[in-house]
Amino acid sequence: MSSVAVLTDSCASLPEEMLERLKIRTVAYYIHRGSEVLRDLVTIQREEFLRWLMTARTMPTTASPGPGDYFEAYEELAEQGVSEIVSIHMSSMVSGGFQAATVAQTMMKDKHPGIQINVIDTRTAALCQGWMVIQAARAALAGVGLEEITARVKRLIPLSRMIQTADTLRYLYLGGRIGRAQALAGSLLNIKPLIGIEDGVIAPLGKAHSRGQAYRQMAEMVAEQVGKGKVCVAYMHAGALREVEKIRDLVEARVQVVESFFGELSPALAVHTGPGTAGLCYYPVEDE
């Protein structure tokens, strides 16, 4: 086992194969569906949840793991012989996961003072958070130390960008996560909003009259930021693989993508984005 363990939330939405290969530990978010309490990607999986969500008459709610959930995960890692942990979480502006993990960090100091834990607020979510987790895990497996891993993750925070679109902002609105994209909430039904995360909160990036136009705008935004440089891209979706394949083709015709993968949003995120969401999370890569 690497000397540094990497932990994140289920909302990082990384593929299972990647979690296993990179030895990433996750803590599940909660989904409250009527009287049911579900654990994200533990007691409810993506396909089943999206089928239900498309016909749901009342919206479920979500909750971040509590300090006890993170403490349990930290303690299990400590029992496996881990002495250093980097704990990577979605924006504290939209979720309480970072705060709960910070409380658990303090609890660990009291009970296990020899365990060092660095808790990071990524100020983003989904596969932007996921990219930071991937790079942390790769560094940990390569034997990089905790402080350098932490520094590498933090360097990615201002570089990472998210762009996504959906047929409606209804889910974000009902879930209370709409942030500055509130201005788009009253758009006509034939408008496809483009949203992202800026300064830790959901923000409007533009709007289009069709999905095709929205996807072309996404590719243009990436090309504008990256220029002739290189980029890593995660194509994210909620039950819309064919749609993100279209995004991939447009993006990779415009910029040099050095690494990419497809990732489907976890149920706890799909609650807020809705079925059919398609987009990408990316960051520019510097030549070494």
Side-chain angles (χ1 to χ4, degrees):
M1 177 175 287
S2 168
S3 61
V4 179
V6 177
L7 180 143
T8 191
D9 313 306
S10 59
C11 289
S13 300
L14 293 169
E16 291 299 320
E17 176 276 330
M18 192 173 285
L19 294 173
E20 294 177 9
R21 175 164 47 85
L22 296 178
K23 303 187 186 306
I24 298 164
R25 172 66 185 265
T26 62
V27 178
Y29 265 62
Y30 290 92
I31 301 170
H32 296 268
R33 184 172 66 179
S35 60
E36 290 182 281
V37 180
L38 305 170
R39 298 299 302 277
D40 196 28
L41 297 175
V42 177
T43 59
I44 189 70
Q45 298 300 321
R46 294 170 171 94
E47 185 176 350
E48 173 194 356
F49 184 75
L50 286 175
R51 281 200 308 267
W52 173 83
L53 190 60
M54 286 189 283
T55 61
R57 294 186 177 182
T58 58
M59 288 298 101
T61 59
T62 59
S64 64
D69 295 308
Y70 291 112
F71 178 79
E72 179 181 355
Y74 294 155
E75 197 164 46
E76 286 178 3
L77 289 171
E79 290 170 356
Q80 295 170 16
V82 170
S83 60
E84 297 179 321
I85 302 169
V86 59
S87 192
I88 303 171
H89 306 277
M90 81 159 76
S91 172
S92 61
M93 302 289 285
V94 297
S95 171
F98 169 75
Q99 290 87 342
T102 301
V103 173
Q105 176 192 42
T106 301
M107 294 164 64
M108 284 292 290
K109 286 180 181 178
D110 293 337
K111 190 171 180 181
H112 301 280
I115 307 299
Q116 185 176 354
I117 303 172
N118 286 1
V119 182
I120 301 175
D121 177 358
T122 65
R123 297 187 65 78
T124 187
L127 290 166
C128 287
Q129 173 188 349
W131 270 124
M132 297 176 202
V133 175
I134 289 168
Q135 297 304 346
R138 287 174 175 169
L141 290 173
V144 178
L146 177 62
E147 296 309 320
E148 175 58 24
I149 291 174
T150 301
R152 291 186 187 185
V153 171
K154 289 184 175 180
R155 282 198 291 270
L156 284 178
I157 293 174
L159 298 176
S160 299
R161 296 285 186 275
M162 175 193 295
I163 316 171
Q164 68 179 48
T165 192
D167 291 324
T168 176
L169 289 176
R170 172 174 177 262
Y171 294 92
L172 272 178
Y173 180 80
L174 292 175
R177 301 296 199 280
I178 198 164
R180 295 201 297 268
Q182 176 76 43
L184 296 177
S187 296
L188 297 175
L189 292 177
N190 64 340
I191 295 296
K192 309 303 179 190
L194 277 75
I195 62 171
I197 295 184
E198 295 181 349
D199 300 322
V201 299
I202 301 296
L205 300 178
K207 52 188 177 181
H209 292 284
S210 67
R211 275 187 176 261
Q213 186 183 58
Y215 300 161
R216 289 190 292 274
Q217 287 185 24
M218 288 182 189
E220 290 168 5
M221 289 177 184
V222 176
E224 184 177 345
Q225 185 191 4
V226 176
K228 296 182 179 180
K230 301 174 182 178
V231 64
C232 289
V233 185
Y235 301 100
M236 64 181 184
H237 68 99
L241 179 58
R242 290 184 179 180
E243 295 302 309
V244 287
E245 288 174 342
K246 297 174 185 176
I247 296 172
R248 175 199 58 191
D249 293 344
L250 289 166
V251 169
E252 299 191 6
R254 298 287 302 273
V255 297
Q256 184 178 356
V257 178
V258 296
E259 183 178 2
S260 68
F261 67 93
F262 293 101
E264 187 165 11
L265 297 176
S266 77
L269 283 183
V271 167
H272 302 292
T273 67
T277 294
L280 69 165
C281 290
Y282 67 97
Y283 68 94
V285 179
E286 297 179 359
D287 289 323
E288 295 183 356

